Amino acid sequence: KGMDRLIESSGNPGNIMVLSDGATDEAFSNLPDYSVELLPADVQREIVLFAKEVYVVVMYMVPNPAAGVRPRRFVQLRGLDNMRVAAEIHGVKLGRGDWPSDIGVQKIGAGDADTAKEIVVGHGVARAFGADLGKEILEPGDVVTLGPCKWVVVGVMAEGSASFSSEIWTRDLHVQQNFGRENSYCSYVVRTASPEKAKLAVRALKEFKSERNFQAYTEQEYYAKMTDTSKTF
């Protein structure tokens, strides 16, 4: 029931998820760096906001793990071309800190090479990672290791961010360059003016024929499909 409630609270009825043709999950979708102007005209007329996202599951190294405790965990990392726009589309707000800078990198030590990439962490992740550091929750300025890189927290999502509470957000280039997703995205997320407009845009995308076809769902339809897995469990 907890899974169902989480999924039901995810997704805006006016949003649509665009994936590559044949994909049913963004983790297995592969889209090019596409321009809004190349989408069908019927869809362009309905677009209010548009974001490109790349999603991967990466390894988090637990700092100073106790004996018998697993030294690593897998976490969800989402790269975004415009984080502020994506936050508005998904209804995500910050509880503390700020969004990453345009560069998305900051110095964390005295040396010129001692830098870390900037991230915003979901509230649930912040609590879990904070416990690893002996504190209640991560705060801006804390540094964690994900994959081959160091990452510095600049913001923490507010509670109630639905499924994004378990994610880490950063710039799209950081994910693409460090986790084998060069020049590609997993999804385009589009805000339309209403649920009715979203359904029209989904139909137009599914019928759109070009050198690259698309799969599309309303965002609520996409997350509702995930309840099939919980029903099986």
Side-chain angles (χ1 to χ4, degrees):
K1 290 298 182 183
M3 281 289 293
D4 290 343
R5 284 196 296 271
L6 173 65
I7 292 166
E8 287 166 2
S9 67
S10 299
N12 183 297
N15 291 353
I16 64 174
M17 294 272 295
V18 184
L19 309 178
S20 57
D21 190 31
T24 57
D25 189 310
E26 63 178 327
F28 305 105
S29 175
N30 188 16
L31 292 166
D33 187 355
Y34 212 68
S35 170
V36 175
E37 289 74 19
L38 297 177
L39 292 172
D42 289 347
V43 176
Q44 291 185 47
R45 285 194 293 268
E46 310 302 346
I47 292 176
V48 176
L49 296 170
F50 180 88
K52 292 178 282 192
E53 307 186 357
V54 54
Y55 168 89
V56 294
V57 176
V58 302
M59 187 179 297
Y60 159 67
M61 302 306 299
V62 178
N64 304 313
V69 175
R70 285 180 296 180
R72 62 185 65 84
R73 301 193 193 113
F74 291 105
V75 296
Q76 301 171 86
L77 182 64
R78 186 177 297 273
L80 304 137
D81 70 322
N82 189 319
M83 202 172 300
R84 294 176 187 272
V85 169
E88 186 173 350
I89 292 174
H90 292 300
V92 171
K93 300 184 182 300
L94 289 180
R96 62 181 72 184
D98 201 354
W99 298 106
S101 63
D102 291 339
I103 299 174
V105 177
Q106 65 177 252
K107 291 184 66 174
I108 57 171
D112 291 339
D114 199 4
T115 61
K117 297 169 176 58
E118 296 174 340
I119 53 174
V120 167
V121 296
H123 194 269
V125 173
R127 285 195 174 279
F129 285 15
D132 294 332
L133 297 175
K135 57 199 306 184
E136 182 180 354
I137 190 169
L138 285 183
E139 300 171 318
D142 286 334
V143 176
V144 299
T145 300
L146 302 172
C149 308
K150 289 183 178 179
W151 307 76
V152 59
V153 176
V154 296
V156 178
M157 296 179 194
E159 290 190 74
S161 298
S163 62
F164 301 105
S165 181
S166 62
E167 292 188 358
I168 299 171
W169 286 13
T170 189
R171 288 197 62 205
D172 52 354
L173 290 176
H174 296 333
V175 177
Q176 292 169 331
Q177 293 172 354
N178 291 282
F179 298 100
R181 293 299 305 243
E182 287 82 359
N183 302 314
S184 72
Y185 290 90
C186 294
S187 62
Y188 312 136
V189 184
V190 181
R191 165 69 59 83
T192 65
S194 68
E196 292 72 26
K197 297 287 188 182
K199 291 176 182 177
L200 290 173
V202 165
R203 187 179 309 128
L205 279 165
K206 288 183 175 180
E207 294 173 353
F208 180 55
K209 301 299 181 185
S210 69
E211 73 283 353
R212 179 173 289 274
N213 299 327
F214 299 107
Q215 177 62 277
Y217 306 92
T218 65
E219 196 174 48
Q220 287 190 329
E221 286 175 343
Y222 176 79
Y223 284 112
K225 283 181 173 294
M226 294 185 179
T227 62
D228 294 341
T229 301
S230 64
K231 288 174 183 175
T232 301
F233 286 143

